Amino acid sequence: MKVGFIGLGNMGSGMARNLIKAGHTLMVYNRTRDRAEALHAAGAKVAETPAEAASHADVLITMLADDRAVEAVIAGAEGVLQALPQGAVHIGMSTISVTLSRRLAGAHQEKKQYYLAAPVFGRPDAAAAAKLFIIAAGPRQQIERCQSLFDAMGQKTFIVGDEGSMANVVKLAGNFLLTTVIEGLAEAFALARKSKVDPNQVLEILTASLFPVPVYKTYGAMIAAEKFEPAGFKLRLGAKDNRLVLAAAEEVAVPMQMASLVRDHFLAAIAQGMSDADWAAMARIVYQSAGL
Ligand SMILES: NC(=O)c1ccc[n+]([C@@H]2O[C@H](COP(=O)([O-])OP(=O)(O)OC[C@H]3O[C@@H](n4cnc5c(N)ncnc54)[C@H](OP(=O)(O)O)[C@@H]3O)[C@@H](O)[C@H]2O)c1
């Protein structure tokens, strides 16, 4: 398939490479051109503008930081919306708000284009290894049309429903739960440390008994070692997802007290200069409040 790919950050670079490996023809765009040049060596053409990446595509994929970035490349006279051919699909794979996802579906429909939301679970290592879990929603026929792309980037695609924004809700619910895992592990390890128990031993025991779960192992190891750089998922993006969770919850009147608590820990971490550390660095705030 002819694929336009916009957003070659920690996640997008690996995803785009896997599409090339699977035999798709890629035209890539990234705001910082160096990252696009790296893909050129792997066989992609490099577009000068987002519109150029969209203009010849059967399918355009965006893997951008946040709502603002997606709006910047989609809207405007030079934007993707104007350039994408009729009948082509935009797959939005970034973690964005439920409201923007809805707006995108409407805007593409007006242009006789299709929109799928397909946010992902999995960190950059999973993106590079084509092991992402993809949560897809939108018109069923278009999901089927794009299945070979999903298969090239992920290990499993879950189909949620026919409205794109439903996939964004699932993604946000998942990320919310991850923040509670980070918070919970940090509190448990603070308790252990102040009681002269080695957090590494706590982690070893709990992940071999009650919680033999990948996320406990991954985040537990980072928090026990207090190693938050280089970031797999930047704290400022985690804070962004927490904002999106709270906005989605407010819209449907769901109190989410744990999300509110975690919000303040994110803000404290940002205030202390941790925006570019991994989002698990939020644990430092928990440690500090325990006097560690
Ligand atoms: N990392 C993870 O573990 C993970 C896991 C699942 C989902 N996600 C989601 O995946 C998305 C990408 O995450 P990432 O970790 O790849 O982030 P990243 O490394 O920070 O990359 C962000 C990408 O967005 C581009 N960008 C940012 N602002 C822009 C703007 N105003 N206009 C145009 N381009 C802009 C960046 O371009 P430049 O290169 O020019 O900065 C870069 O290509 C996010 O929505 C994130 O929440 C991340």
Side-chain angles (χ1 to χ4, degrees), residues 81-95:
L81 206 54
Q82 305 299 331
L84 194 66
Q86 283 190 7
V89 191
H90 170 203
I91 312 179
M93 302 192 75
S94 326
T95 307

Side-chain angles (χ1 to χ4, degrees), residues 8-290:
L8 301 165
N10 288 338
M11 297 293 288
S13 299
M15 292 160 70
R17 270 176 208 282
N18 286 327
L19 290 170
I20 297 170
K21 272 191 220 154
H24 298 287
T25 307
L26 257 74
M27 183 174 276
V28 298
Y29 172 82
N30 195 63
R31 180 181 60 176
T32 307
R33 200 183 158 95
D34 293 2
R35 284 170 142 175
E37 291 299 342
L39 264 287
H40 178 60
K45 283 192 183 148
V46 177
E48 297 295 328
T49 60
E52 189 187 354
S55 60
H56 305 291
D58 302 317
V59 176
L60 177 82
I61 296 176
T62 48
M63 193 52 173
L64 293 154
D66 53 18
D67 279 29
R68 199 154 46 144
V70 173
E71 285 188 294
V73 306
I74 297 291
E78 292 290 304
V80 159
L81 206 54
Q82 305 299 331
L84 194 66
Q86 283 190 7
V89 191
H90 170 203
I91 312 179
M93 302 192 75
S94 326
T95 307
I96 57 165
S97 68
V98 172
T99 48
L100 177 57
S101 192
R102 266 192 222 119
R103 282 213 309 279
L104 288 173
H108 283 298
Q109 195 175 17
E110 269 179 28
K111 296 274 178 194
K112 299 192 167 42
Q113 304 153 349
Y114 297 101
Y115 170 70
L116 299 177
V120 303
F121 290 125
R123 288 165 61 90
D125 54 345
K131 294 280 184 211
L132 294 170
F133 291 104
I134 296 171
I135 319 298
R140 190 67 180 227
Q141 255 188 332
Q142 300 306 318
I143 294 177
E144 281 164 19
R145 175 180 172 191
C146 295
Q147 190 62 53
S148 67
L149 303 175
F150 295 142
D151 291 344
M153 294 184 282
Q155 57 178 300
K156 189 170 167 87
T157 308
F158 298 90
I159 299 171
V160 183
D162 55 8
E163 277 177 42
S165 59
M166 296 163 91
N168 301 97
V169 170
V170 175
K171 169 64 190 170
L172 293 176
N175 273 22
F176 159 68
L177 284 176
L178 287 176
T179 61
T180 67
V181 169
I182 293 169
E183 171 74 25
L185 283 165
E187 290 183 16
F189 290 175
L191 172 67
R193 284 175 61 182
K194 291 197 78 176
S195 313
K196 300 196 188 87
V197 179
D198 180 357
N200 290 296
Q201 198 185 12
V202 176
L203 176 66
E204 211 178 298
I205 293 169
L206 292 182
T207 55
S209 56
L210 297 176
F211 301 108
V213 182
V215 290
Y216 276 81
K217 290 179 183 165
T218 305
Y219 288 112
M222 288 170 77
I223 296 168
E226 291 187 71
K227 186 172 178 339
F228 304 116
E229 283 99 10
F233 184 50
K234 290 173 200 146
L235 191 138
R236 67 184 148 80
L237 293 181
K240 173 262 299 181
D241 291 355
N242 172 259
R243 272 197 304 280
L244 299 183
V245 169
L246 286 168
E250 186 168 337
E251 196 187 333
V252 291
V254 174
M256 293 182 74
Q257 289 168 17
M258 290 206 280
S260 301
L261 177 151
V262 163
R263 170 185 177 272
D264 281 352
H265 288 175
F266 274 131
L267 287 180
I270 289 167
Q272 293 187 36
M274 296 180 209
S275 293
D276 285 322
D278 196 273
W279 67 336
M282 189 182 71
R284 283 200 176 120
I285 303 301
V286 176
Y287 283 173
Q288 283 170 12
S289 63

